[in-house]
PDB file of all heavy atoms in Angstrom:
ATOM      1  N   LYS A 207      18.281 -25.490  80.838  1.00  0.00           N
ATOM      2  CA  LYS A 207      16.884 -25.232  80.493  1.00  0.00           C
ATOM      3  C   LYS A 207      16.091 -24.734  81.719  1.00  0.00           C
ATOM      4  O   LYS A 207      15.333 -23.778  81.637  1.00  0.00           O
ATOM      5  CB  LYS A 207      16.231 -26.492  79.928  1.00  0.00           C
ATOM      6  CG  LYS A 207      14.815 -26.298  79.481  1.00  0.00           C
ATOM      7  CD  LYS A 207      14.243 -27.559  78.887  1.00  0.00           C
ATOM      8  CE  LYS A 207      12.785 -27.342  78.512  1.00  0.00           C
ATOM      9  NZ  LYS A 207      12.135 -28.567  78.064  1.00  0.00           N
ATOM     10  N   ALA A 208      16.312 -25.362  82.865  1.00  0.00           N
ATOM     11  CA  ALA A 208      15.615 -24.951  84.098  1.00  0.00           C
ATOM     12  C   ALA A 208      16.004 -23.539  84.484  1.00  0.00           C
ATOM     13  O   ALA A 208      15.141 -22.723  84.856  1.00  0.00           O
ATOM     14  CB  ALA A 208      15.939 -25.922  85.223  1.00  0.00           C
ATOM     15  N   ILE A 209      17.273 -23.200  84.387  1.00  0.00           N
ATOM     16  CA  ILE A 209      17.735 -21.858  84.733  1.00  0.00           C
ATOM     17  C   ILE A 209      17.159 -20.840  83.769  1.00  0.00           C
ATOM     18  O   ILE A 209      16.658 -19.775  84.174  1.00  0.00           O
ATOM     19  CB  ILE A 209      19.283 -21.779  84.756  1.00  0.00           C
ATOM     20  CG1 ILE A 209      19.822 -22.596  85.933  1.00  0.00           C
ATOM     21  CG2 ILE A 209      19.761 -20.331  84.828  1.00  0.00           C
ATOM     22  CD1 ILE A 209      21.321 -22.801  85.929  1.00  0.00           C
ATOM     23  N   ASP A 210      17.180 -21.143  82.461  1.00  0.00           N
ATOM     24  CA  ASP A 210      16.624 -20.228  81.468  1.00  0.00           C
ATOM     25  C   ASP A 210      15.130 -19.985  81.699  1.00  0.00           C
ATOM     26  O   ASP A 210      14.664 -18.852  81.611  1.00  0.00           O
ATOM     27  CB  ASP A 210      16.836 -20.769  80.047  1.00  0.00           C
ATOM     28  CG  ASP A 210      18.281 -20.660  79.582  1.00  0.00           C
ATOM     29  OD1 ASP A 210      19.046 -19.888  80.204  1.00  0.00           O
ATOM     30  OD2 ASP A 210      18.640 -21.345  78.587  1.00  0.00           O
ATOM     31  N   GLU A 211      14.383 -21.042  81.987  1.00  0.00           N
ATOM     32  CA  GLU A 211      12.948 -20.887  82.238  1.00  0.00           C
ATOM     33  C   GLU A 211      12.716 -20.018  83.475  1.00  0.00           C
ATOM     34  O   GLU A 211      11.820 -19.171  83.487  1.00  0.00           O
ATOM     35  CB  GLU A 211      12.288 -22.250  82.413  1.00  0.00           C
ATOM     36  CG  GLU A 211      12.128 -23.022  81.111  1.00  0.00           C
ATOM     37  CD  GLU A 211      11.573 -24.410  81.319  1.00  0.00           C
ATOM     38  OE1 GLU A 211      11.190 -24.761  82.455  1.00  0.00           O
ATOM     39  OE2 GLU A 211      11.519 -25.168  80.318  1.00  0.00           O
ATOM     40  N   TYR A 212      13.492 -20.227  84.523  1.00  0.00           N
ATOM     41  CA  TYR A 212      13.359 -19.435  85.720  1.00  0.00           C
ATOM     42  C   TYR A 212      13.645 -17.962  85.439  1.00  0.00           C
ATOM     43  O   TYR A 212      12.882 -17.080  85.837  1.00  0.00           O
ATOM     44  CB  TYR A 212      14.308 -19.954  86.798  1.00  0.00           C
ATOM     45  CG  TYR A 212      14.357 -19.060  88.021  1.00  0.00           C
ATOM     46  CD1 TYR A 212      13.360 -19.105  88.978  1.00  0.00           C
ATOM     47  CD2 TYR A 212      15.389 -18.143  88.191  1.00  0.00           C
ATOM     48  CE1 TYR A 212      13.393 -18.282  90.086  1.00  0.00           C
ATOM     49  CE2 TYR A 212      15.435 -17.311  89.303  1.00  0.00           C
ATOM     50  CZ  TYR A 212      14.430 -17.375  90.231  1.00  0.00           C
ATOM     51  OH  TYR A 212      14.466 -16.544  91.312  1.00  0.00           O
ATOM     52  N   LEU A 213      14.738 -17.670  84.751  1.00  0.00           N
ATOM     53  CA  LEU A 213      15.109 -16.290  84.459  1.00  0.00           C
ATOM     54  C   LEU A 213      14.108 -15.598  83.524  1.00  0.00           C
ATOM     55  O   LEU A 213      13.850 -14.414  83.672  1.00  0.00           O
ATOM     56  CB  LEU A 213      16.525 -16.216  83.874  1.00  0.00           C
ATOM     57  CG  LEU A 213      17.647 -16.568  84.841  1.00  0.00           C
ATOM     58  CD1 LEU A 213      18.975 -16.595  84.120  1.00  0.00           C
ATOM     59  CD2 LEU A 213      17.680 -15.628  86.019  1.00  0.00           C
ATOM     60  N   ASP A 214      13.553 -16.350  82.590  1.00  0.00           N
ATOM     61  CA  ASP A 214      12.558 -15.768  81.669  1.00  0.00           C
ATOM     62  C   ASP A 214      11.296 -15.322  82.414  1.00  0.00           C
ATOM     63  O   ASP A 214      10.642 -14.370  82.003  1.00  0.00           O
ATOM     64  CB  ASP A 214      12.173 -16.769  80.562  1.00  0.00           C
ATOM     65  CG  ASP A 214      13.281 -16.942  79.538  1.00  0.00           C
ATOM     66  OD1 ASP A 214      14.176 -16.074  79.472  1.00  0.00           O
ATOM     67  OD2 ASP A 214      13.244 -17.948  78.800  1.00  0.00           O
ATOM     68  N   LYS A 215      10.989 -15.983  83.519  1.00  0.00           N
ATOM     69  CA  LYS A 215       9.800 -15.635  84.303  1.00  0.00           C
ATOM     70  C   LYS A 215      10.017 -14.428  85.202  1.00  0.00           C
ATOM     71  O   LYS A 215       9.086 -13.838  85.705  1.00  0.00           O
ATOM     72  CB  LYS A 215       9.353 -16.818  85.141  1.00  0.00           C
ATOM     73  CG  LYS A 215       8.808 -17.967  84.329  1.00  0.00           C
ATOM     74  CD  LYS A 215       8.451 -19.136  85.237  1.00  0.00           C
ATOM     75  CE  LYS A 215       8.004 -20.322  84.398  1.00  0.00           C
ATOM     76  NZ  LYS A 215       7.764 -21.488  85.237  1.00  0.00           N
ATOM     77  N   GLN A 216      11.273 -14.088  85.443  1.00  0.00           N
ATOM     78  CA  GLN A 216      11.603 -12.977  86.355  1.00  0.00           C
ATOM     79  C   GLN A 216      11.410 -11.638  85.652  1.00  0.00           C
ATOM     80  O   GLN A 216      11.761 -11.474  84.496  1.00  0.00           O
ATOM     81  CB  GLN A 216      13.053 -13.066  86.842  1.00  0.00           C
ATOM     82  CG  GLN A 216      13.351 -14.366  87.557  1.00  0.00           C
ATOM     83  CD  GLN A 216      12.397 -14.663  88.697  1.00  0.00           C
ATOM     84  OE1 GLN A 216      12.219 -13.847  89.571  1.00  0.00           O
ATOM     85  NE2 GLN A 216      11.789 -15.834  88.674  1.00  0.00           N
ATOM     86  N   THR A 217      10.820 -10.709  86.359  1.00  0.00           N
ATOM     87  CA  THR A 217      10.672  -9.342  85.850  1.00  0.00           C
ATOM     88  C   THR A 217      11.450  -8.430  86.775  1.00  0.00           C
ATOM     89  O   THR A 217      10.872  -7.807  87.678  1.00  0.00           O
ATOM     90  CB  THR A 217       9.191  -8.919  85.785  1.00  0.00           C
ATOM     91  OG1 THR A 217       8.647  -9.093  87.097  1.00  0.00           O
ATOM     92  CG2 THR A 217       8.415  -9.749  84.788  1.00  0.00           C
ATOM     93  N   MET A 218      12.732  -8.396  86.587  1.00  0.00           N
ATOM     94  CA  MET A 218      13.581  -7.613  87.451  1.00  0.00           C
ATOM     95  C   MET A 218      13.902  -6.281  86.783  1.00  0.00           C
ATOM     96  O   MET A 218      14.715  -6.209  85.887  1.00  0.00           O
ATOM     97  CB  MET A 218      14.884  -8.365  87.744  1.00  0.00           C
ATOM     98  CG  MET A 218      14.666  -9.592  88.556  1.00  0.00           C
ATOM     99  SD  MET A 218      16.128 -10.597  88.929  1.00  0.00           S
ATOM    100  CE  MET A 218      17.506  -9.636  88.506  1.00  0.00           C
ATOM    101  N   GLN A 219      13.205  -5.287  87.200  1.00  0.00           N
ATOM    102  CA  GLN A 219      13.519  -3.941  86.746  1.00  0.00           C
ATOM    103  C   GLN A 219      14.083  -3.195  87.936  1.00  0.00           C
ATOM    104  O   GLN A 219      13.348  -2.749  88.808  1.00  0.00           O
ATOM    105  CB  GLN A 219      12.296  -3.251  86.187  1.00  0.00           C
ATOM    106  CG  GLN A 219      11.907  -3.775  84.824  1.00  0.00           C
ATOM    107  CD  GLN A 219      11.047  -2.754  84.111  1.00  0.00           C
ATOM    108  OE1 GLN A 219      10.231  -2.097  84.705  1.00  0.00           O
ATOM    109  NE2 GLN A 219      11.264  -2.645  82.825  1.00  0.00           N
ATOM    110  N   ILE A 220      15.385  -3.114  87.937  1.00  0.00           N
ATOM    111  CA  ILE A 220      16.065  -2.454  89.052  1.00  0.00           C
ATOM    112  C   ILE A 220      16.327  -1.015  88.653  1.00  0.00           C
ATOM    113  O   ILE A 220      16.941  -0.753  87.629  1.00  0.00           O
ATOM    114  CB  ILE A 220      17.390  -3.176  89.383  1.00  0.00           C
ATOM    115  CG1 ILE A 220      17.088  -4.626  89.768  1.00  0.00           C
ATOM    116  CG2 ILE A 220      18.113  -2.455  90.481  1.00  0.00           C
ATOM    117  CD1 ILE A 220      18.329  -5.483  89.909  1.00  0.00           C
ATOM    118  N   SER A 221      15.848  -0.115  89.469  1.00  0.00           N
ATOM    119  CA  SER A 221      16.082   1.301  89.179  1.00  0.00           C
ATOM    120  C   SER A 221      16.225   2.047  90.497  1.00  0.00           C
ATOM    121  O   SER A 221      15.792   1.588  91.541  1.00  0.00           O
ATOM    122  CB  SER A 221      14.958   1.877  88.338  1.00  0.00           C
ATOM    123  OG  SER A 221      13.748   1.818  89.057  1.00  0.00           O
ATOM    124  N   SER A 222      16.858   3.171  90.401  1.00  0.00           N
ATOM    125  CA  SER A 222      17.053   4.026  91.579  1.00  0.00           C
ATOM    126  C   SER A 222      16.112   5.208  91.488  1.00  0.00           C
ATOM    127  O   SER A 222      15.739   5.635  90.410  1.00  0.00           O
ATOM    128  CB  SER A 222      18.480   4.534  91.624  1.00  0.00           C
ATOM    129  OG  SER A 222      19.358   3.490  91.879  1.00  0.00           O
ATOM    130  N   PRO A 223      15.778   5.779  92.637  1.00  0.00           N
ATOM    131  CA  PRO A 223      14.992   7.023  92.597  1.00  0.00           C
ATOM    132  C   PRO A 223      15.831   8.153  92.033  1.00  0.00           C
ATOM    133  O   PRO A 223      17.055   8.055  91.959  1.00  0.00           O
ATOM    134  CB  PRO A 223      14.652   7.254  94.065  1.00  0.00           C
ATOM    135  CG  PRO A 223      15.618   6.463  94.854  1.00  0.00           C
ATOM    136  CD  PRO A 223      16.067   5.341  93.991  1.00  0.00           C
ATOM    137  N   LYS A 224      15.175   9.203  91.639  1.00  0.00           N
ATOM    138  CA  LYS A 224      15.887  10.378  91.152  1.00  0.00           C
ATOM    139  C   LYS A 224      16.522  11.095  92.353  1.00  0.00           C
ATOM    140  O   LYS A 224      16.015  11.028  93.473  1.00  0.00           O
ATOM    141  CB  LYS A 224      14.925  11.299  90.419  1.00  0.00           C
ATOM    142  CG  LYS A 224      14.289  10.647  89.202  1.00  0.00           C
ATOM    143  CD  LYS A 224      13.648  11.647  88.302  1.00  0.00           C
ATOM    144  CE  LYS A 224      12.943  11.054  87.127  1.00  0.00           C
ATOM    145  NZ  LYS A 224      13.462   9.892  86.497  1.00  0.00           N
ATOM    146  N   GLU A 225      17.640  11.766  92.076  1.00  0.00           N
ATOM    147  CA  GLU A 225      18.380  12.444  93.153  1.00  0.00           C
ATOM    148  C   GLU A 225      17.481  13.329  94.008  1.00  0.00           C
ATOM    149  O   GLU A 225      17.565  13.319  95.237  1.00  0.00           O
ATOM    150  CB  GLU A 225      19.499  13.320  92.565  1.00  0.00           C
ATOM    151  CG  GLU A 225      20.748  12.579  92.276  1.00  0.00           C
ATOM    152  CD  GLU A 225      21.771  13.485  91.630  1.00  0.00           C
ATOM    153  OE1 GLU A 225      22.030  14.575  92.156  1.00  0.00           O
ATOM    154  OE2 GLU A 225      22.303  13.089  90.578  1.00  0.00           O
TER     155      GLU A 225
END
Side-chain angles (χ1 to χ4, degrees):
K207 184 178 176 185
I209 291 170
D210 287 343
E211 286 176 6
Y212 172 80
L213 291 175
D214 286 343
K215 291 177 184 175
Q216 303 306 306
T217 55
M218 294 179 12
Q219 286 201 322
I220 300 172
S221 62
S222 292
K224 299 196 183 325
E225 276 177 51

